[in-house]
Amino acid sequence: MILLTDDLRDRLLANGQQRNVDHVPVVKFFNPLGAGTWLATEMDADNDTLFGLADLGFGCPELGSFSLSELTSVRLPFGMGIERDILFEAAFPLSVYAEAARQAGSIVESERLLTNAAASLRGGH
């Protein structure tokens, strides 16, 4: 799977030129066989360094930088690698995801909580 389309790369690079802005995540990467999840909001001009929220499954998601080439180089069993969530659409700025992930202990669990909270506000179940 191609981790970044040209459109996603352009959006990440544009966000990378606007520092000190609480951007909405552009892309979500995940380990299909494990707990690793990354939400990226920005990319540096080097076309490799991403900024966002990283969760390696240890209960302490962190804001910081990570490498696209490192994500791309991960080799998992069955010929799999890190994947991009093609259905991901961010609804909140990164700070909201980060706070929810800190409280929940993971990005995945925080997304469930955020989705449920949004549904409740809309009158859903």
Side-chain angles (χ1 to χ4, degrees), residues 8 24 34 37 40 55 62 75 85 91 95 108-109 113 119 123:
L8 292 172
V24 171
T37 306
D55 179 2
E62 295 184 359
R75 295 293 169 245
D85 183 343
S95 63
V108 172
E109 186 57 31
L113 296 172

Side-chain angles (χ1 to χ4, degrees), residues 6-125:
D6 290 341
D7 177 58
L8 292 172
R9 183 180 304 276
D10 290 346
R11 290 170 51 200
L12 288 164
L13 287 167
N15 285 353
Q17 294 175 353
Q18 299 175 351
R19 299 291 180 183
N20 300 317
V21 174
D22 191 12
H23 295 288
V24 171
V26 173
V27 64
K28 174 183 173 183
F29 303 111
F30 67 97
N31 177 341
L33 301 177
T37 306
W38 300 261
L39 299 178
T41 59
E42 304 168 28
M43 177 182 271
D44 287 350
D46 66 6
N47 280 305
D48 183 55
T49 306
L50 297 164
F51 178 82
L53 183 63
D55 179 2
L56 301 180
F58 300 117
C60 51
E62 295 184 359
L63 290 171
S65 297
F66 46 95
S67 167
L68 178 62
S69 61
E70 286 185 18
L71 291 179
T72 304
S73 71
V74 172
R75 295 293 169 245
L76 300 169
F78 312 111
M80 299 181 84
I82 300 302
E83 295 187 14
R84 174 174 40 92
D85 183 343
I86 60 172
L87 300 177
F88 177 74
E89 291 185 29
F92 309 99
L94 186 63
S95 63
V96 173
Y97 284 98
E99 182 58 27
R102 282 189 200 105
Q103 289 180 17
S106 80
I107 292 174
V108 172
E109 186 57 31
S110 70
E111 287 180 310
R112 286 188 196 110
L113 296 172
L114 289 168
T115 300
N116 291 342
S120 294
L121 290 173
R122 289 191 302 263
H125 299 282

